[in-house]
Amino acid sequence: MVTAYDEPSGRLCDAAGVDVLLVGDSVANTVLGYPDTLHVTIDDMARHTAAVARATPSALIVGDLPWMSYHVGTDDAVRNAASLVRAGAGCVKLEGGAIRTPVVEAILQAQIPVMGHLGLTPQSVLAMGGYRVQGRDLDAAKLLLDDSHALADAGCFAIVLEGVPDALAARITAELGIPTIGIGAGPGTDGQVLVFHDLLGLGNRPLAKFVREYAQLGMLVTEAIGRFAADVRSGAFPGAEETYAAGADLRAALGE
Ligand code: KIV
C-alpha cells in the first residue's frame, strides 16, 4: 500500500503495481503544509479521494476518515464514510481500537468495508503527547492486542499497525484472521505501507526511522527547475524547437 493524494500520484502508484492506494489524511502534512493531520476535513479528503479516483486505478482506493469525521456520532460517521465512497473510495479507514467498534459496525451496516488503524495513530497526537512508538511495555502491548481483536471482531477487513514493536506486530498478525499492514511495525505484518513523499524523497520533514527512501526526487526536481530558470534568464529557453514560428506573410505584415 502507498499513499496517493491526486491523479498523478494515483496513476504512478497504480502503474507500479501496488495493491492498495491510501488517500491518507497525511495529505495534511505532505501536500497541504499543515503541521499535523488534525487540520484536514472530510471535504478535503473527498476532494483528494476523487482526484485519485480520476486515475481509474486497478488498485483498491482507501479513503481515510479524518479527525472529527467519526467522533461525534455514528450517523455522522456513516454519512462521512459515504461521501468518501461517492468520491471513489472502495472502503474507508479510521483510527482507534475497541472504543471505535460501534462506529465500525454502523459503517459496515451501510455496506462500506472498514480498515482499522492501531498503534501510533497520528489523529491522537495530542492525547499521546507526541508521535511515539506505542505498545512498548507488556500492559500497553496487551491493550493493543485486545484492540486488534475488537476491530477484527467488529468486522474490519484489514488493520494498519503503525509505530509498534516488531514482536507485537508479528503477534497481532499471527492471532488475527485478517491482514495487517505495517508502517514502522517491522517485517512481520502481512503488508507494508509508506507515504508517497517519503518513499520518493519529496518531503521536507526529517524522515522517521521506518522510512526507506527509494529515490530522491526532491533534489532532481529542484535541479531541473533551477536549469529552467537559468535558461530563461540567459535566453536559452525557449529555443526554435519550442516556438511556433510565424509564417513569412505574418512576419512581413508585422513589419519584421
Ligand atoms: O494517512 C496516512 O498516510 C496513514 C498511513 C501512515 C498509514 O494513515
Side-chain angles (χ1 to χ4, degrees):
M1 182 160 86
V2 178
T3 65
Y5 309 107
D6 51 19
E7 193 278 339
S9 55
R11 175 168 38 80
L12 294 168
C13 290
D14 198 52
V18 302
D19 296 314
V20 187
L21 301 177
L22 169 63
V23 188
D25 62 356
S26 53
V27 68
N29 317 89
T30 57
V31 174
L32 300 177
Y34 291 122
D36 54 48
T37 60
L38 306 182
H39 287 77
V40 282
T41 64
I42 191 68
D43 291 342
D44 293 325
M45 295 310 301
R47 183 169 297 112
H48 286 280
T49 301
V52 171
R54 279 183 215 112
T56 60
S58 315
L60 173 67
I61 299 177
V62 182
D64 212 2
L65 284 168
W67 182 61
M68 288 308 284
S69 70
Y70 56 96
H71 303 69
V72 176
T74 50
D75 288 357
D76 209 31
V78 173
R79 259 191 292 277
N80 287 327
S83 73
L84 297 189
V85 169
R86 289 211 169 107
C91 62
V92 296
K93 177 172 83 58
L94 54 77
E95 297 182 5
I99 192 176
R100 300 286 169 230
T101 55
V103 169
V104 170
E105 284 160 3
I107 296 173
L108 287 173
Q109 276 171 25
Q111 315 303 321
I112 301 171
V114 182
M115 180 181 280
H117 185 163
L118 287 174
L120 193 175
T121 44
Q123 291 174 16
S124 311
V125 59
L126 301 179
M128 290 184 307
Y131 299 100
R132 301 175 205 289
V133 174
Q134 302 293 303
R136 277 198 186 274
D137 62 49
L138 189 56
D139 287 345
K142 278 183 178 158
L143 278 178
L144 277 178
L145 195 55
D146 289 349
D147 276 339
S148 71
H149 279 284
L151 289 180
D153 293 348
C156 285
F157 74 94
I159 298 180
V160 169
L161 297 175
E162 176 167 0
V164 297
D166 53 358
L168 174 59
R171 175 68 176 272
I172 292 173
T173 303
E175 286 198 11
L176 296 189
I178 57 172
T180 58
I181 304 175
I183 176 162
T189 52
D190 296 302
Q192 296 287 333
V193 54
L194 280 180
V195 166
F196 184 85
H197 293 66
D198 293 346
L199 191 161
L200 295 174
L202 283 167
N204 68 350
R205 53 183 182 168
L207 287 181
K209 174 182 169 64
F210 57 77
V211 172
R212 187 178 294 175
E213 249 183 14
Y214 282 84
Q216 293 193 332
L217 296 193
M219 274 165 34
L220 285 179
V221 168
T222 303
E223 189 266 336
I225 294 173
R227 282 193 288 121
F228 165 67
D231 281 355
V232 170
R233 289 184 182 119
S234 72
F237 179 86
E241 62 278 32
E242 291 113 2
T243 299
Y244 302 107
D249 290 353
L250 180 58
R251 281 182 184 282
L254 290 172
E256 274 199 18

